[in-house]
Amino acid sequence: MNFIVRELREMNDAMIGSISRRRRCWRRQKLSHIAPDVSPCEFECESEPEPELVDKGQWANLPTELLSDIISRVEESEASWPARNAVVSCASVCKSWRDITKEIVKTPEQCGRLTFPISLKQPGSRDSPIQCFIKRDRTASIYRLYLGLTPSENGNEKLLLAARRIRRTTRTEFIISLPLVQDNFSSNIGKLKSNFVGTKFTVYDTKLNSRSGKEGLFRTKKKLPPRSHPTSSNKIATVSYEFNLLRTRGPRRMQCVINSIPISSIQEGGIAPTPTSLSDHDLNDDEKKPSSSSSSEEPLMLRNKLPRWHEQLQCWCLNFKGRVTVASVKNFQLSVAVDSSLPNVPLSEKEKVILQFGKIGKDIFTMDYSYPLSAFQAFAICLSSFDTKSVCD
């Protein structure tokens, strides 16, 4: 009797163990087949998988003609931010969508719109200036460039660039960065350095090294860590201010020499250099040798327009066409400084204001730029005006 009871208990334990093992095996099978419900856009922005894995999604199988028509309609229907981010969303779906979007979206020189980060280093519009404004944070020494006329109440402005001022022992530096992460300056695209007395500034353009070429898209998620790191930099411009110790020559006088832009760009039929990527490994043969091409041509030179003395107001005045409302020593307008004998330069180009900067409120300044300057070059020139210059004022 005890033998039979013992055998029944062993059979029961064996049956329970088998059921338990089957349950554990079933759970492992169920868990091994669970996949996260992530859209292709999230794959593109968050984990950055291999391009071939993304292209296997359902959206990558659309016919090329249909896809081109869809993206063209989206691109034509959106003229400004924040609605402009739908174009970037199309480019974030997968590699095939991104390639077609880059082919359809035109440069700022052609359409006057800023879509991708590379647009910040491409020449501005020929027809009308691109209007931006700068916000200054005195406590943190941070300057932010936004796209738009003036700050809005709902805060829908597009943040383009950010700069942080660093005071060294012998000079002042401004680190210019893409705003991938709030107040993170690890993905800098350029620098501005001053001399000891603050009368001469040098602009450096930094090439970025990105693992998979995703630097062509504006990031929309603030928590996304930067994946681009500076690899090399070269001198592209200098900004000089004249000494005025006795303060007998009026307001500031400044001169800008843009070494990366030849003077031929403003002549009839001239073309300004237009980079196609922020990374140094995607440059074409012409862009890999800027020194050889620029050394044979005279660089573009800009000078500030001299204001006139207003007898009734007892101050120096310039016509900013309503874009500047507060008097400040920092206000300026830059135009081309060319010799009257230089051929093939239209009179309209000689009198055209290429860069305009001025104060409209407490720590708020407008910045309007046009061809052949880029947003990055214009922002760097304006940053030089923020540094203290006791020997120039």
Side-chain angles (χ1 to χ4, degrees):
M1 188 66 179
N2 293 333
F3 177 74
I4 297 175
V5 172
R6 187 167 56 252
E7 284 187 349
L8 290 175
R9 287 179 178 177
E10 291 177 357
M11 291 175 61
N12 187 26
D13 294 339
M15 186 179 297
I16 294 175
S18 177
I19 294 175
S20 178
R21 284 193 298 271
R22 286 198 298 268
R23 287 180 177 177
R24 288 196 298 268
C25 182
W26 177 80
R27 288 177 180 176
R28 287 196 298 268
Q29 291 177 355
K30 294 292 287 185
L31 290 174
S32 63
H33 289 80
I34 295 178
D37 185 11
V38 182
S39 63
C41 180
E42 292 176 350
F43 268 124
E44 184 73 21
C45 295
E46 293 290 347
S47 58
E48 288 196 3
E50 295 297 327
E52 59 268 19
L53 296 180
V54 180
D55 284 346
K56 290 182 180 180
Q58 57 179 345
W59 299 109
N61 298 325
L62 288 178
T64 305
E65 295 78 8
L66 177 60
L67 182 58
S68 300
D69 184 64
I70 293 174
I71 297 178
S72 299
R73 291 174 182 268
V74 173
E75 200 276 336
E76 293 174 358
S77 63
E78 297 184 338
S80 61
W81 288 92
R84 189 68 178 167
N85 57 12
V87 180
V88 179
S89 299
C90 290
S92 302
V93 172
C94 58
K95 186 176 183 299
S96 60
W97 284 55
R98 180 165 57 254
D99 294 339
I100 294 179
T101 304
K102 288 184 177 181
E103 294 178 0
I104 294 176
V105 175
K106 299 179 181 178
T107 62
E109 179 184 351
Q110 298 170 323
C111 64
R113 302 172 183 175
L114 300 177
T115 305
F116 302 120
I118 188 57
S119 303
L120 302 175
K121 288 194 174 183
Q122 294 175 341
S125 174
R126 290 177 179 264
D127 300 330
S128 59
I130 298 178
Q131 297 174 322
C132 310
F133 65 91
I134 300 173
K135 282 186 178 181
R136 176 177 58 181
D137 187 350
R138 292 176 179 266
T139 57
S141 297
I142 294 178
Y143 306 83
R144 298 180 178 90
L145 176 66
Y146 295 87
L147 180 64
L149 293 173
T150 55
S152 60
E153 297 180 356
N154 52 13
N156 285 336
E157 306 90 1
K158 177 60 186 176
L159 179 60
L160 300 178
L161 291 171
R164 181 179 62 185
R165 182 171 63 180
I166 302 175
R167 294 191 179 276
R168 309 289 186 184
T169 306
T170 59
R171 66 180 186 272
T172 301
E173 289 186 8
F174 291 86
I175 300 176
I176 305 174
S177 173
L178 288 173
L180 302 183
V181 182
Q182 186 69 20
D183 298 340
N184 188 305
F185 293 87
S186 60
S187 57
N188 66 81
I189 62 172
K191 290 184 179 181
L192 177 70
K193 297 182 180 181
S194 72
N195 60 356
F196 179 73
V197 294
T199 58
K200 186 175 181 180
F201 295 80
T202 306
V203 183
Y204 296 91
D205 183 9
T206 302
K207 302 298 181 182
L208 294 181
N209 182 17
S210 181
R211 292 184 302 176
S212 55
K214 302 298 189 300
E215 75 279 1
L217 305 179
F218 268 123
R219 303 291 186 177
T220 57
K221 299 185 178 181
K222 294 183 179 180
K223 295 183 180 180
L224 184 66
R227 293 184 172 90
S228 299
H229 303 281
T231 58
S232 61
S233 59
N234 59 309
K235 175 182 173 182
I236 63 169
T238 56
V239 184
S240 304
Y241 293 83
E242 291 186 10
F243 280 92
N244 190 13
L245 291 176
L246 301 178
R247 299 185 178 182
T248 57
R249 289 187 248 172
R252 293 178 179 176
R253 295 191 179 189
M254 58 186 298
Q255 176 178 291
C256 303
V257 179
I258 315 298
N259 304 98
S260 59
I261 303 178
I263 190 66
S264 60
S265 61
I266 63 172
Q267 298 178 349
E268 293 183 0
I271 300 176
T274 305
T276 58
S277 175
L278 292 175
S279 58
D280 56 348
H281 53 267
D282 291 334
L283 299 178
N284 53 37
D285 294 335
D286 296 335
E287 293 171 339
K288 286 181 181 179
K289 302 177 181 180
S291 57
S292 60
S293 60
S294 60
S295 59
S296 60
E297 297 186 29
E298 183 181 354
L300 179 66
M301 183 179 298
L302 306 177
R303 284 198 182 100
N304 67 319
K305 283 193 170 185
L306 297 179
R308 63 180 181 86
W309 178 257
H310 200 289
E311 292 293 341
Q312 296 180 351
L313 299 178
Q314 291 295 303
C315 64
W316 298 95
C317 296
L318 269 176
N319 183 14
F320 290 95
K321 297 182 180 180
R323 287 287 287 156
V324 179
T325 57
V326 180
S328 175
V329 69
K330 298 177 177 61
N331 302 343
F332 66 81
Q333 289 179 334
L334 292 182
S335 58
V336 180
V338 295
D339 188 4
S340 58
S341 61
L342 189 65
N344 299 328
V345 177
L347 181 62
S348 58
E349 291 293 334
K350 297 179 181 180
E351 299 178 351
K352 179 182 177 181
V353 176
I354 294 180
L355 175 60
Q356 179 175 277
F357 174 78
K359 190 173 184 179
I360 59 174
K362 184 178 180 180
D363 297 326
I364 301 178
F365 303 82
T366 59
M367 188 195 84
D368 303 338
Y369 75 97
S370 58
Y371 177 90
L373 284 183
S374 65
F376 165 73
Q377 295 167 343
F379 186 45
I381 295 174
C382 293
L383 288 175
S384 67
S385 183
F386 286 105
D387 198 31
T388 304
K389 305 171 185 62
S390 58
V391 296
C392 302
D393 299 338

